Structures are given as C-alpha cells and as structure tokens.
Amino acid sequence: AKHLKCSAMSISRASDQLVNMGIIREEKIGSRIRMYLSYSKDMAYEKAKGYLINPVQSEIYISANQLPGDAVKSEESALAEYTMINDPPFPVYAIFKNSSHIKELDEISALWTNESNIVKLQLWKYDPLLFVNKNCVDVISLMSSMKDFDDERIEMMIEELEENFKW
C-alpha cells in the first residue's frame, strides 16, 4: 500500500477480488499476508486482462516546453519505443492526475493552434512512475490504455507486443 500510494483497504479489496478470481492465493504469516500467483505470469495476465481498466482519466494538450519532468512516454509514443510503429504526430506522455505540476500547465487546443511543438498529456488514475520502463509506461498499462483503439495497425502492434512480452 505504501509503495503504490494507496490505502490498505484498497489493497485488501483488490487482493480479495484476485483471490476470488483464483489468480492469487494468500498465506498468512503472523500479522502479514503474502500473496502468490496461482498461475504462471502469462496465464495470470490472460485470466486478468479482461478486468484491467484503462488508466487514462483525461487528456490535455500543452506546449512541449511545459512538459513536467515526471511525465513519461505513453500511448503511441511508448508503443513506438516498444515496437516498429512510427511516432505519432504529437508526442504522448502520461502523468499522475494528482501531480502538483498539473496546476501550472496551460492547456491549449490542438485543433486551433498553429504551434508545432505540442504534446498530448494523459492524466492517469495511478502514477505511471510506479511501473516505468525506460521513460515509458509499462507494457501492461500501455496495452490497457490502448485496448479500445480503432486502428488496425495499432491493434497489430499491440498483439505483437503482447505475444513478445517477456513475463
């Protein structure tokens, strides 16, 4: 709970759900509870992936020179790092929705500006820095955030990423 910056009750609820789904098993050792996967990592992902939420709460566009230092590549920008897909027209980054930097940002409309150095900033429901990988969001969060994309080339890259992911 401390590491994930959430309440012990949230962890307890989540672990209860995972136990009920059969994905993990718990073992009580004194006052501590240890959790173990009931399956291999890839099988646990397969069983749980239908329940994974999209971590993106909202999106804004900002000038690239305002990009907070704790933002990490997300969406198509991260997918371009993990696969052979090209970078998107606007770089995409993610930041925790409760980051103190958000109040300082000036949102702009990507449709109505001539400015070329615009970035799309996703405000995430949890801190993407918790699972960051080489300045990109983690693969599972990336796949969860892009599962509803209606673009065949992106769907193919997500499938390739899922197949080649080292669990």
Side-chain angles (χ1 to χ4, degrees):
K2 288 178 190 174
H3 178 71
L4 296 175
K5 299 177 185 150
C6 61
S7 71
M9 185 175 284
S10 294
I11 296 293
S12 180
R13 278 193 213 128
S15 67
D16 287 347
Q17 287 178 324
L18 292 171
V19 166
N20 290 337
M21 292 168 59
I23 294 173
I24 67 168
R25 60 184 172 77
E26 294 181 331
E27 184 179 299
K28 191 165 182 155
I29 301 170
S31 62
R32 294 179 174 244
I33 298 174
R34 292 201 177 222
M35 298 175 207
Y36 301 94
L37 284 176
S38 298
Y39 302 97
S40 65
K41 292 177 185 177
D42 56 336
M43 183 58 78
Y45 170 73
E46 281 300 316
K47 293 215 172 264
K49 77 178 181 179
Y51 298 96
L52 297 175
I53 63 165
N54 183 342
V56 180
Q57 181 158 331
S58 61
E59 300 174 334
I60 61 174
Y61 289 88
I62 60 171
S63 177
N65 61 3
Q66 284 195 308
L67 187 65
D70 57 345
V72 295
K73 287 184 181 181
S74 181
E75 201 176 81
E76 287 180 80
S77 291
L79 191 60
E81 293 288 329
Y82 288 121
T83 68
M84 299 298 288
I85 199 166
N86 290 333
D87 285 313
F90 298 115
V92 185
Y93 289 87
I95 192 170
F96 184 42
K97 68 179 181 177
N98 293 339
S99 172
S100 60
H101 298 102
I102 293 172
K103 296 173 191 161
E104 304 161 6
L105 302 176
D106 296 320
E107 186 175 352
I108 57 179
S109 172
L111 298 173
W112 301 107
T113 186
N114 292 330
E115 196 172 332
S116 61
N117 75 346
I118 296 174
V119 297
K120 179 164 68 169
L121 185 62
Q122 296 178 326
L123 308 180
W124 275 32
K125 297 171 186 169
Y126 55 86
D127 190 349
L129 290 175
L130 291 172
F131 311 109
V132 71
N133 180 19
K134 299 178 187 169
N135 200 39
C136 291
V137 297
D138 68 283
V139 172
I140 293 175
S141 296
L142 176 63
M143 291 187 296
S144 297
S145 72
M146 298 186 78
K147 66 182 172 186
D148 295 327
F149 259 66
D150 192 22
D151 183 326
E152 191 174 304
R153 66 189 176 86
I154 289 177
E155 289 173 5
M156 286 177 18
M157 291 295 110
I158 293 292
E159 285 176 21
E160 178 184 306
L161 186 62
E162 194 172 32
E163 288 170 10
N164 296 330
F165 185 64
K166 302 283 188 247
W167 299 97

